[in-house]
Amino acid sequence: MKKPFKKTWMIASAFTLGMAVLTPLQAGATTLETKDSNINVQIEQKISGTIKEVFGDGINLKGIDGENYFISFSKFSNEQIEKMNLVVGQEISIEGKVVDDYSDFYTFEVYKKDLPKEVTKEDLGKLEKLFNEIKKLEKEASDDVDKEVTEEELEKKYEEIEKVYEEMYKITKPYILANWQPETFEQYLEGFGFSEGNIAIKDNDKKQLQAIYEEWVKLEKSGDEEKANVKYEELYTILQPYLDELYPPQTFEEYMEGMELDIPAETMAKLKTLYEDAQKAENDENMELSETVWNQFHDLLSQFIEPLTFEEYMSDYDFEVSKEDKEQLKKLYEEAMKLENEKAEEKWEAFYNILEPYFALNKEILFFASKLTINNQDYLPQSE
């Protein structure tokens, strides 16, 4: 399988602090002399290029300098990003700074923009201190992963992070609850799409659901999460039969539709039995059995699926490898596809050892945007 790129966001954010990578883009850094010392001041850098891919709050950009960039717009509001109407192929200019890690995009300023405006200066100070503590702990945890420490040691570190999160939540919870405007029961029920599915909820169930929903809202508003969660479970106990009707499980025939595979009738019957047994185990909440049967199903089905050729596999990469490396890679790829378990892993490891220098050369430069210019229109974060 293809080596995953590391774009991990921890819980609600990512937390590694780091200094910006020194690249030719940073020629804009300048030094100011003061009476006491020299202070390095980073001037905002500017890049231009064409959008290759668009994500929720970021894009992949091919710079006019030939470099590949991942641009984060996390400083901007969702409304601003929507107005930008970013599409693949557009040419844009961006000002901002280069960062080391995806986690550097999640600063306290970014975190703060989603907080209620009523949060006091004193509480903002406490939150910033706790936020920076999480950054520090996450950096330590990241370093520990590189050192290959034990799972128990890592677990302790993440428990520390969770405790700090809880402290932050204690501060923000009253503000969040004070600003929360819950949906009416009618809006809540409408959101499931029962009417579109022509599913009518019985009058008795609807009355009971409304009473439970309104009780749940009161409990949430009061901050009693434990009792609120119990009420929410009561809601879903009544709603579940209607949800099952709205979203019936996919039949085996529906699952196999569109798969142009040459499977013998006897094997197809066995696949259908496994499929239905796996679904039954899920319905019975027997997750261990469900996983076992699903594995049997996919192992059997995979025997009839033609694997990607080496050329198809490599076509996803937007870089070329040398003729010599390509020959070696193809040999390892075809050998790995014929093997299983540890023997295959050895081939894959050798495969990616050859590709690693190419990944490094084509690594995206991470850029934290603070200004965007598109079609001669400038966008700045609302807080600036």
Side-chain angles (χ1 to χ4, degrees):
M1 59 186 294
K2 192 162 291 187
K3 186 175 183 181
F5 287 91
K6 189 177 178 184
K7 291 188 181 179
T8 307
W9 293 83
M10 171 81 185
I11 310 176
S13 63
F15 296 103
T16 311
L17 284 172
M19 299 300 291
V21 178
L22 294 176
T23 72
L25 280 173
Q26 289 180 298
T30 186
T31 300
L32 300 181
E33 289 195 13
T34 68
K35 292 179 181 177
D36 299 318
S37 61
N38 288 344
I39 302 174
N40 187 266
V41 178
Q42 181 63 55
I43 296 174
E44 290 278 279
Q45 302 152 30
K46 186 172 182 178
I47 58 172
S48 298
T50 305
I51 298 175
K52 290 167 57 183
E53 290 181 271
V54 179
F55 305 98
D57 61 355
I59 59 170
N60 281 340
L61 185 85
K62 186 68 175 181
I64 58 173
D65 56 4
E67 298 285 1
N68 294 311
Y69 296 90
F70 176 77
I71 314 292
S72 170
F73 294 116
S74 53
K75 282 186 179 181
F76 297 79
S77 69
N78 293 334
E79 292 77 13
Q80 284 180 297
I81 295 171
E82 192 175 339
K83 284 180 182 177
M84 291 174 188
N85 193 27
L86 301 166
V87 294
V88 172
Q90 278 180 319
E91 293 184 2
I92 61 174
S93 295
I94 301 146
E95 291 181 26
K97 65 178 181 178
V98 173
V99 297
D100 266 346
D101 192 270
Y102 289 94
S103 61
D104 294 332
F105 295 138
Y106 197 73
T107 63
F108 182 70
E109 288 302 312
V110 172
Y111 164 79
K112 189 173 71 172
K113 73 179 185 181
D114 291 324
L115 290 176
K117 294 177 182 178
E118 293 79 7
V119 179
T120 65
K121 190 175 180 180
E122 182 183 355
D123 281 340
L124 281 175
K126 292 176 186 175
L127 287 167
E128 184 168 15
K129 185 178 178 181
L130 292 168
F131 182 92
N132 290 335
E133 178 64 19
I134 288 178
K135 283 275 194 178
K136 177 176 172 289
L137 289 169
E138 180 56 23
K139 176 66 168 66
E140 291 171 4
S142 179
D143 291 343
D144 286 345
V145 170
D146 294 337
K147 294 173 188 173
E148 297 184 355
V149 301
T150 65
E151 197 171 319
E152 290 78 9
E153 288 175 296
L154 273 177
E155 189 62 36
K156 284 180 183 176
K157 188 68 67 177
Y158 290 126
E159 283 173 6
E160 287 182 60
I161 291 170
E162 187 62 31
K163 285 177 184 175
V164 183
Y165 259 123
E166 288 170 6
E167 288 300 310
M168 293 178 76
Y169 182 57
K170 285 177 186 175
I171 296 171
T172 59
K173 183 179 175 181
Y175 296 104
I176 293 169
L177 288 176
N179 280 268
W180 180 43
Q181 296 296 324
E183 297 175 301
T184 64
F185 172 69
E186 289 74 19
Q187 290 170 327
Y188 170 77
L189 207 56
E190 190 180 334
F192 287 99
F194 292 124
S195 57
E196 289 90 336
N198 293 318
I199 294 168
I201 297 177
K202 295 174 184 175
D203 288 340
N204 285 344
D205 284 343
K206 189 176 282 189
K207 286 176 184 176
Q208 198 175 353
L209 283 166
Q210 183 165 3
I212 295 171
Y213 179 80
E214 289 170 358
E215 184 62 27
W216 170 74
V217 168
K218 287 178 187 175
L219 289 167
E220 283 285 1
K221 277 282 189 183
S222 70
D224 194 338
E225 289 183 32
E226 192 173 336
K227 288 183 180 178
N229 289 338
V230 171
K231 282 293 169 189
Y232 211 70
E233 286 175 15
E234 287 180 30
L235 274 174
Y236 269 86
T237 301
I238 299 171
L239 282 171
Q240 197 58 55
Y242 297 103
L243 290 169
D244 291 342
E245 188 181 350
L246 182 62
Y247 302 108
Q250 191 177 36
T251 65
F252 173 71
E253 289 73 19
E254 288 170 338
Y255 180 86
M256 296 297 293
E257 191 177 347
M259 290 192 192
E260 297 178 3
L261 303 174
D262 188 14
I263 302 176
E266 186 181 344
T267 306
M268 189 71 86
K270 190 173 181 181
L271 282 167
K272 183 174 182 177
T273 300
L274 287 169
Y275 183 88
E276 291 171 352
D277 287 348
Q279 285 199 325
K280 184 179 183 303
E282 280 185 7
N283 290 335
D284 295 341
E285 297 185 358
N286 188 341
M287 303 319 290
E288 188 176 343
L289 177 61
S290 170
E291 184 178 357
T292 300
V293 181
W294 275 124
N295 285 339
Q296 291 172 358
F297 174 83
H298 289 298
D299 286 344
L300 182 57
L301 183 63
S302 66
Q303 295 173 28
F304 301 91
I305 298 173
E306 281 291 321
L308 290 176
T309 65
F310 171 72
E311 288 73 21
E312 289 170 332
Y313 183 87
M314 292 298 293
S315 67
D316 277 349
Y317 295 122
D318 57 0
F319 56 78
E320 291 289 328
V321 298
S322 69
K323 184 180 177 183
E324 208 174 273
D325 284 341
K326 186 177 283 187
E327 289 173 0
Q328 208 172 346
L329 284 165
K330 184 171 184 177
K331 181 173 180 289
L332 287 166
Y333 180 84
E334 291 173 351
E335 287 173 351
M337 296 300 281
K338 293 174 186 175
L339 298 170
E340 293 181 3
N341 304 327
E342 291 181 10
K343 289 182 179 179
E345 285 299 318
E346 288 174 13
K347 298 294 180 182
W348 283 121
E349 187 174 350
F351 182 87
Y352 285 117
N353 282 341
I354 296 172
L355 279 181
E356 198 61 51
Y358 294 98
F359 288 140
L361 280 172
N362 290 273
K363 186 178 179 182
E364 291 174 329
I365 297 172
L366 306 181
F367 200 81
F368 201 3
S370 55
K371 181 181 177 181
L372 166 69
T373 303
I374 185 166
N375 297 327
N376 294 318
Q377 184 173 351
D378 292 338
Y379 291 90
L380 292 167
Q382 288 177 344
S383 57
E384 292 187 4

